[in-house]
């Protein structure tokens, strides 16, 4: 763990990125995206996909269809991606990130507001919450399509804070991508970078704190949590 900046404000909301944070889904995304490309006669190596991590599927395919000269419209590519990944999720063997459930359970018991702010599509976010069994912990979901500018712009996190009724300075963000960390920092929120080794070489150096595991987070943030009522089971 590397803590570059101390936490100076109370934490009233914890905002989670999804892919690569709640579950180690980035490799699955890469497999699906590569497979979609192959269906249109393009072989794309995983090493070429890192630059798109954290961006919305619309932004990704808009760029990729040009970069790799894919003969399909963006809507077709987006729909193929999400339909395929949802079908594969239940049999993927992917579980929650180590320490996630324990972290969410303690935050929940302390009455801390939790939300997801993700560039993924709504149907996949819903499928992931059910797959991981975390729906009871999550108060709100903010998706990339709800804002004008995707990560690394701060729009999605500012909207998530607005929904929570919490000032950005009192929000904590957990991210694993270059774009996501940039968005959290730009939003003026304390940003934790999760150094997920399968997130394809992301640069999270701008984060206020960098962790190798979600198990490291609670001991650091616990003293700064805004007191809340115990949540009902």
């Amino acid at each position: 763990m590397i803590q570059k900046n101390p936490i100076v404000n109370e934490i009233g909301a914890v905002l989670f990125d999804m892919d690569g944070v709640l579950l180690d889904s980035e490799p699955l995304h890469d497999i699906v995206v590569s497979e979609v490309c192959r269906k249109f006669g393009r072989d794309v190596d995983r090493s070429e996909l890192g630059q798109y991590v954290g961006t919305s599927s619309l932004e990704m395919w808009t760029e990729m269809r040009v970069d790799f000269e894919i003969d399909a419209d963006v809507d077709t590519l987006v729909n193929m991606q999400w339909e395929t990944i949802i079908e594969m999720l239940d049999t993927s063997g992917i579980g929650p990130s180590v320490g996630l459930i324990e972290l969410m359970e303690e935050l929940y018991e302390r009455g801390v507001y939790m939300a997801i702010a993700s560039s993924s599509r709504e149907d996949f976010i819903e499928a992931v919450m059910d797959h991981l069994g975390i729906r009871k912990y999550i108060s709100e979901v903010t998706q990339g399509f709800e804002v004008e500018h995707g990560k690394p712009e701060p729009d999605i996190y500012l909207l998530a804070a607005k929904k929570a009724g919490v000032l950005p300075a009192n929000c904590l963000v957990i991210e694993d991508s270059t774009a996501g960390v940039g968005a959290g920092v730009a939003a003026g929120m304390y940003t934790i970078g999760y150094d997920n080794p399968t997130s394809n070489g992301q640069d999270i150096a701008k984060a206020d704190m960098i962790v190798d595991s979600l198990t490291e987070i609670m001991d650091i943030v616990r003293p700064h949590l805004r007191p809340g009522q115990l949540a009902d089971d």
Side-chain angles (χ1 to χ4, degrees):
M1 180 187 68
I2 302 172
Q3 187 172 17
K4 298 191 296 181
N5 300 311
I7 301 174
V8 296
N9 298 317
E10 286 188 332
I11 297 168
V14 177
L15 310 178
F16 293 87
D17 173 47
M18 188 177 75
D19 295 298
V21 172
L22 300 186
L23 73 171
D24 193 11
S25 53
E26 296 295 359
L28 179 60
H29 276 283
D30 291 347
I31 291 170
V32 169
V33 169
S34 295
E35 180 59 30
V36 171
C37 290
R38 273 193 293 272
K39 289 181 179 179
F40 293 96
R42 294 291 181 266
D43 288 324
V44 179
D45 187 78
R46 189 184 175 211
S47 63
E48 300 176 272
L49 299 177
Q51 61 185 308
Y52 306 108
V53 173
T55 62
S56 71
S57 55
L58 180 62
E59 292 170 324
M60 179 188 73
W61 286 115
T62 298
E63 294 182 21
M64 284 190 66
R65 69 185 296 271
V66 175
D67 294 345
F68 298 100
E69 299 180 340
I70 300 171
D71 186 18
D73 63 81
V74 172
D75 287 344
T76 296
L77 295 167
V78 168
N79 288 330
M80 287 180 68
Q81 175 195 353
W82 293 117
E83 289 169 3
T84 304
I85 200 167
I86 289 171
E87 288 176 3
M88 295 177 65
L89 181 61
D90 283 341
T91 58
S92 66
I94 299 173
S97 295
V98 174
L100 174 71
I101 302 303
E102 294 80 2
L103 173 61
M104 285 189 162
E105 183 64 30
E106 181 166 350
L107 292 171
Y108 180 76
E109 289 178 352
R110 290 173 176 269
V112 178
Y113 179 101
M114 286 177 279
I116 294 172
S118 173
S119 301
S120 289
R121 204 164 75 170
E122 179 180 13
D123 48 358
F124 185 57
I125 297 172
E126 294 287 332
V128 166
M129 287 196 292
D130 289 335
H131 179 70
L132 299 181
I134 60 171
R135 189 175 290 274
K136 79 169 188 176
Y137 303 122
I138 302 300
S139 297
E140 187 63 74
V141 172
T142 302
Q143 304 156 57
F145 83 88
E146 296 180 70
V147 296
E148 182 177 359
H149 304 292
K151 303 173 184 178
E153 298 301 318
D155 302 31
I156 193 168
Y157 282 117
L158 294 175
L159 179 57
K162 183 177 180 180
K163 290 181 180 181
V166 176
L167 292 172
N170 297 114
C171 292
L172 182 142
V173 166
I174 304 175
E175 272 281 0
D176 73 311
S177 71
T178 306
V181 165
V185 171
M189 302 176 180
Y190 193 88
T191 302
I192 295 177
Y194 169 37
D195 190 11
N196 186 334
T198 67
S199 291
N200 210 354
Q202 297 300 294
D203 181 1
I204 56 174
K206 291 182 179 179
D208 297 295
M209 180 167 74
I210 297 173
V211 299
D212 295 318
S213 170
L214 301 185
T215 59
E216 301 176 77
I217 294 175
M218 200 65 212
D219 286 344
I220 299 298
V221 305
R222 190 180 289 115
H224 306 280
L225 295 175
R226 180 177 294 169
Q229 297 297 318
L230 291 178
D232 294 330
D233 291 332

